[in-house]
Amino acid sequence: LPTQIQLYGRGIPKPGDPTGRAVQASTQSTVSNTTTSYVDTNLTASITPESAANLVLTCWSGDTQIDTASIGAKTTLRRGGTVVGLPRELFSDAANIISTVGLTWLDSPGSAGSITYTVATKLDTGGGPTVYFPNAAAGGALQLIEIMG
């Protein structure tokens, strides 16, 4: 039987502290999309929080490419089919423009089960142009860090 219970102290995560659980993924495998609906890319990672009360700090980035001038595209992070954070917008003023996009966002998934996050991309206007993510030369990266809730 324990004679003492330590709630706080060295080595004990407090609310707002990382729990020590982190996942990182990267890819240089490009996915293209010609539609106005989000299409998942190959940049994906899963994490299993210790508690449903815990948060997940998400951080992703990669190069988005649009092959046509005067077209906009959005790239975002999704948990299941739900957009997490704010979609990042890229507008091309020239053909084949490439720009780095990304976002850091603190997510509250409310689950202690395995959670999968995936970067997805779409065009603002379909029917001809193509958006690519990530650009194969630079790739993309995704990091997930569990934060004590």
Side-chain angles (χ1 to χ4, degrees), residues 23-27 41-46 116-119 142 144:
V23 178
Q24 184 167 308
S26 64
T27 187
T41 69
N42 295 316
L43 186 53
T44 185
S46 297
T116 300
Y117 291 88
T118 304
V119 174
L142 170 61
L144 308 173

Side-chain angles (χ1 to χ4, degrees), residues 26-30 43 61-65 98-100 133-141:
S26 64
T27 187
Q28 287 185 289
S29 177
T30 301
L43 186 53
S61 68
D63 286 357
T64 298
Q65 178 179 354
I98 299 171
S99 182
T100 301
F133 184 91
N135 176 277

Side-chain angles (χ1 to χ4, degrees), residues 9-64:
R10 187 181 316 193
I12 307 294
K14 300 177 288 311
D17 285 350
T19 64
R21 189 168 293 184
V23 178
Q24 184 167 308
S26 64
T27 187
Q28 287 185 289
S29 177
T30 301
V31 169
S32 63
N33 185 4
T34 59
T35 73
T36 56
S37 298
Y38 279 115
V39 170
D40 288 344
T41 69
N42 295 316
L43 186 53
T44 185
S46 297
I47 192 167
T48 304
E50 294 175 358
S51 166
N54 289 353
L55 308 171
V56 177
L57 181 63
T58 65
C59 183
W60 65 271
S61 68
D63 286 357
T64 298

Side-chain angles (χ1 to χ4, degrees), residues 89-105:
E89 178 82 26
L90 173 63
F91 186 80
S92 66
D93 57 358
N96 290 314
I97 193 160
I98 299 171
S99 182
T100 301
V101 294
L103 182 69
T104 299
W105 192 265

